[in-house]
Every structure is written in C-alpha cells, then in structure tokens.
Amino acid sequence: MVKEFSSYWALILGGSTGLGLASARKLAAHGMNLCIVHRNTRVELDSIERQFEEIRAMGVQLLTFNTDVMNAGKRAAVLQQLQTAMGESRIRCLLHSIARGNLKALPHLEADDFNTTIGNMGVSLYEWSADILQRQLFATDARILSFTSDGGYKAMEHYAAVSAAKAALESITRSIALEFAPHGIRANCIRAGVTDTASLRKIPGSNALLEHSRERNPFRQLTTPEDVANVVYLLCRDEAAWINGAIIPVDGGTHIH
C-alpha cells in the first residue's frame, strides 16, 4: 500500500472507538502519523490500548492522551508534546469525532445539559482548530473534518442536545471554511449514515433506528465505520483540495429515500 501521508500527522479528537478509531486505522495504513485524544475509563483502557498497539504495528508514530478535550490547559499540554514529536512535520488533518452528549428527553433537559453537549460536540472543534492555527502547526494544505448526523437538521427523540450540538458543529465548520481558507485550511463535515457503534447504542430506541435505516438504504445495508473512514482518507488527499465548507452525506444513499 502506498504510504502517501508519511510526512504528515493527523490529530484525532475521539479516536479510541467507532468512526474515530476506524479513521485512525485507515490513515495509518497510508502512512499518516497520529495523535489521538480520547476520554475513557480505566476499565476500558486495556482493550483500547490493544487497538492502539495494532496501529503502531503499521509503522507509524502514535501519541495518545486520555484527557478532557474541553480543558484549555490540557489542550495546551497535548499540543506542546505533539509539536515536539512532530519536529518539522505538520498536521495535515484535524478530525473531530467527539461523542459526549446528553440523551435525556425533553422536557427533562436543563441548560447545563445543552451547554456541556454543545461544548464537547461543537465548540471544541473551534477551540482546537484556533489553537493549532495560532501555534502554526497546520500543514500548508490542511483539512479539518468532523462528523455530523441527520440530527443537525431534523428532530429526533432523546436527541435535542446532540441535535443542537450538530447544528453548531456544522455552522462552525462553515465559518472555519470561510475564515481559515487564507491559511490553506479546508473544513468539511461528514454526515455519516446510521452506524452500529457504542455511541449509537446509547440512544433509546437504537435498534429501531438501525432497522429503519437499513430499510431506507438503497443497498439494504447499514453504514460501517470503515465506509466513513474511507471518505476521511479521500478528503485528506491532494485531489480533494477544492472541497471546502461542505456537508457530505456518507450513507450509501439513505438520505435520498
């Protein structure tokens, strides 16, 4: 396999499971060095570390940090260590895959539930992007990518806080695409189809959601993390440089039916 990204790094926020981990594997397979920031319990770490060792076995550098993405001091510490590890190399891709949101139904949500969810799943994209830019750690042609969902434009039960976060994420991405463009940065959202991940399973009624998505899909299939990771890889390629400010459906056509 061609290692076309061997001189670059990807910084993945939320890369220990699901779409983030699948994307890490895909980028590593093509030579991208990785810095993964995640938030997991001690009980989960043994399994996650095994996944990380498999990525290191691909021959890339991998830094991992089990920390809070919303803590400014910890963000600064991560970026300082990453800068040291990179040397003269730079970040080709910042991938936002944070799935830390409140799934209470209305009217039980409180303002703090919204604020925490929007902060983690939306505003954190901007905070990390701006800090990386100020430190001049982006490559001259860099890609900022994030994962949105149908909740960004439609209502779903138990999804109000996450839906608000996804709408914020899409809006922030459009602004980054406009205002960071002079710095050589492209920003896009991937609207992934319904994917059977641990995050999805936390949504009440997820089994019905999975079945409904399968029925709507032209291929009668669910989206897989690998399907989404393939598009992350494509958007990191030189040929994708003219895609900017887009919300790209990656669902096998589910959205058309």
Side-chain angles (χ1 to χ4, degrees):
M1 184 175 291
V2 177
K3 304 286 188 179
E4 69 261 47
F5 295 138
S6 58
S7 62
Y8 290 122
W9 283 74
L11 173 54
I12 302 178
L13 305 177
S16 59
T17 60
L19 305 183
L21 179 61
S23 299
R25 288 180 175 278
K26 181 67 176 182
L27 294 176
H30 289 269
M32 191 90 80
N33 300 299
L34 302 172
C35 175
I36 296 177
V37 181
H38 61 103
R39 190 64 166 164
N40 293 97
T41 65
R42 189 171 299 175
V43 174
E44 298 169 317
L45 286 181
D46 283 347
S47 174
I48 290 168
E49 285 298 333
R50 286 195 294 272
Q51 302 283 350
F52 290 162
E53 286 305 315
E54 291 178 5
I55 292 175
R56 290 189 177 96
M58 297 180 186
V60 299
Q61 296 185 65
L62 171 60
L63 299 180
T64 65
F65 299 89
N66 187 15
T67 192
D68 181 5
V69 298
M70 292 298 295
N71 185 300
K74 292 179 179 179
R75 181 175 69 248
V78 168
L79 293 179
Q80 183 59 54
Q81 292 183 60
L82 175 57
Q83 183 172 6
T84 299
M86 289 195 304
E88 297 300 315
S89 185
R90 286 296 178 263
I91 296 170
R92 171 72 155 197
C93 174
L94 170 63
L95 177 62
H96 185 280
S97 182
I98 300 296
R100 188 180 180 189
N102 197 295
L103 294 170
K104 293 178 186 176
L106 295 177
H108 304 296
L109 279 165
E110 299 179 357
D112 282 348
D113 298 324
F114 276 103
N115 293 336
T116 299
T117 303
I118 293 171
N120 276 278
M121 299 184 70
V123 178
S124 63
L125 174 69
Y126 169 71
E127 292 180 320
W128 281 81
S129 299
D131 205 345
I132 293 167
L133 180 64
Q134 290 168 4
R135 294 169 182 266
Q136 300 181 348
L137 300 183
F138 277 121
T140 54
D141 174 9
R143 316 298 163 87
I144 295 176
L145 304 173
S146 57
F147 297 133
T148 187
S149 70
D150 286 352
Y153 68 93
K154 65 188 291 188
M156 300 166 62
E157 291 183 357
H158 297 271
Y159 208 67
V162 177
S163 187
K166 294 300 188 184
L169 181 71
E170 293 176 11
S171 179
I172 289 168
T173 295
R174 285 190 292 270
S175 293
I176 290 174
L178 174 66
E179 299 191 51
F180 283 23
H183 302 281
I185 295 168
R186 286 83 171 156
N188 296 287
C189 283
I190 293 172
R191 181 178 288 149
V194 174
T195 310
D196 192 357
T197 63
S199 296
L200 181 91
R201 290 288 180 177
K202 294 178 182 177
I203 301 174
S206 59
N207 285 332
L209 185 61
L210 288 165
E211 187 56 35
H212 180 60
S213 180
R214 185 182 285 107
E215 290 174 356
R216 289 173 56 210
N217 184 273
F219 302 102
R220 300 296 186 266
Q221 296 176 19
L222 293 173
T223 302
T224 69
E226 290 71 28
D227 293 328
V228 179
N230 287 340
V231 177
V232 170
Y233 159 70
L234 290 173
L235 290 172
C236 287
R237 289 180 57 87
D238 291 346
E239 291 86 348
W242 208 233
I243 302 173
N244 187 39
I247 299 173
I248 302 168
V250 181
D251 62 7
T254 302
H255 68 284
I256 65 176
H257 180 44

